[in-house]
Structures are given as structure tokens and as C-alpha cells.
């Protein structure tokens, strides 16, 4: 059963990535399905924590609030709600990410994936490719699928647990 859930998660992440890269939009129904499967998966693994999810969502909320205030300060308008800056699919995917990781792993993945996607977009622009919109949810879904595949022996269980670095020394 665990392997089936794990494969379903990877399949749904690939679908989200495909939709976002191909059409620059993701079917709305994919987000609740993916969120539900991930919640069932973490509950089945015994790694689900409401406190961790709320903490991760608070981190996303603070970051989005800081972005909105920065854009308001620079433009004088509340333009974060505009589709040009960030889509609702990206925000929905942030909420899904909050359920996948422990807080330390979430911060590491969230910041790392944003930097990786920024680097990829800047590299594409440097080679002459015109980038009008960044497929943020699709890029993060691809990176999350890779994270699940890299943790295949544990079926994603290590993503929800913090590892003590002091135990290795």
C-alpha cells in the first residue's frame, strides 16, 4: 500500500509539472487530490504533525506577506494578487509542500528550489530563451518528485523527519 501511495504521489507531481510547463496552468482538481494523497501518505508513515504543518504554513505566509508589502512599497498598489506576479496554483502548491516536510527540511527545500529555479530561468534567458512566466509550481513539483525518488528506500519518510547532524560526528 505504501509503495502504491508513493508512486501515486510521484505520478501526480509529474502531472502537475507537465501541466505547468506545457500550459502555464494546472488543473485545479490536481491540488486537492495531491494534497489528500500526501496527507494520507504522511499519516500512514506516522510522520504527520499538525504543529509542523502550521509552522510551515506560517513561514509561507510570512514570506508572501513580505513579498506583498515589498511590491506595495515599490508600486503603491497591491499587485501580488495580479496573475503576473504569482498564481493561485503556486500558492496552493506551497500549501502542499508544507505538508511534505519537517520544518528544517521545508525551509531547506523551499529556499533551495526557489534558488534552483531562479538560476535555471536566468540561464535560459542568458542563452536567448524568452521567459514570460516562471512555472514555479511545475519546477517545484519536479524537484519534489526528485526528492521522493532520492529517498525511495524510505518511501519519502526522511522528508518528514529531521536528522541530527551531531550524530554523524
Amino acid at each position: 500500500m505504501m509503495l502504491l501511495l508513493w508512486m501515486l504521489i510521484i505520478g501526480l507531481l509529474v502531472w502537475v509539472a507537465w501541466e505547468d510547463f506545457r500550459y502555464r496552468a494546472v488543473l485545479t482538481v490536481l491540488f486537492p487530490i495531491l494534497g489528500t494523497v500526501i496527507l494520507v501518505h504522511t499519516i500512514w508513515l506516522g510522520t504527520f504533525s499538525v504543529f509542523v504543518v502550521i509552522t510551515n504554513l506560517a513561514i509561507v505566509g510570512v514570506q508572501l506577506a513580505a513579498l506583498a508589502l515589498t511590491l506595495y512599497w515599490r508600486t503603491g498598489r497591491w499587485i501580488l494578487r495580479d496573475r503576473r506576479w504569482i498564481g493561485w496554483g503556486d500558492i496552493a502548491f506551497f500549501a502542499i509542500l508544507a505538508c511534505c516536510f519537517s520544518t528544517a527540511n521545508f525551509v531547506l527545500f523551499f529556499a533551495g528550489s526557489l534558488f534552483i529555479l531562479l538560476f535555471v530561468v536566468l540561464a535560459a534567458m542568458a542563452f536567448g530563451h524568452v521567459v514570460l512566466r516562471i512555472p514555479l509550481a511545475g519546477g517545484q513539483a519536479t524537484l519534489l518528485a526528485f526528492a521522493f525518488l532520492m529517498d525511495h528506500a524510505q518511501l519519502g519518510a526522511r522528508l518528514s523527519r529531521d536528522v541530527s547532524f551531531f550524530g554523524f560526528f
Side-chain angles (χ1 to χ4, degrees), residues 22-33:
R22 177 81 171 131
Y23 304 110
R24 295 295 190 256
V26 179
L27 291 173
T28 307
V29 72
L30 284 179
F31 294 115
I33 293 171

Side-chain angles (χ1 to χ4, degrees), residues 10-162:
I10 292 174
L12 288 169
L13 289 171
V14 168
W15 192 359
V16 167
W18 171 258
E19 292 274 325
D20 202 17
F21 286 129
R22 177 81 171 131
Y23 304 110
R24 295 295 190 256
V26 179
L27 291 173
T28 307
V29 72
L30 284 179
F31 294 115
I33 293 171
L34 180 60
T36 302
V37 172
I38 285 176
L39 282 176
V40 168
H41 182 258
T42 56
I43 290 170
W44 197 285
L45 286 173
T47 59
F48 179 75
S49 170
V50 174
F51 178 74
V52 168
V53 172
I54 290 172
T55 304
N56 294 348
L57 288 173
I59 291 169
V60 170
V62 167
Q63 195 166 30
L64 289 174
L67 179 62
L69 288 173
T70 302
L71 290 173
Y72 180 76
W73 177 64
R74 293 189 74 188
T75 65
R77 297 186 350 234
W78 293 104
I79 58 175
L80 185 62
R81 296 178 301 172
D82 190 5
R83 292 186 59 172
R84 293 179 308 151
W85 290 96
I86 192 164
W88 286 111
D90 299 328
I91 295 171
F93 197 76
F94 294 163
I96 290 171
L97 285 177
C99 299
C100 293
F101 296 100
S102 63
T103 302
N105 289 340
F106 174 74
V107 170
L108 181 66
F109 180 85
F110 193 73
S113 66
L114 292 177
F115 283 122
I116 289 169
L117 292 173
L118 179 63
F119 176 75
V120 167
V121 167
L122 290 175
M125 291 170 67
F127 287 109
H129 184 68
V130 177
V131 179
L132 298 176
R133 292 190 179 133
I134 299 172
L136 183 60
Q140 286 186 322
T142 303
L143 294 171
L144 183 59
F146 281 127
F148 268 97
L149 287 172
M150 287 174 30
D151 192 28
H152 74 282
Q154 298 293 320
L155 299 175
R158 289 187 189 162
L159 303 176
S160 301
R161 295 186 187 123
D162 289 331

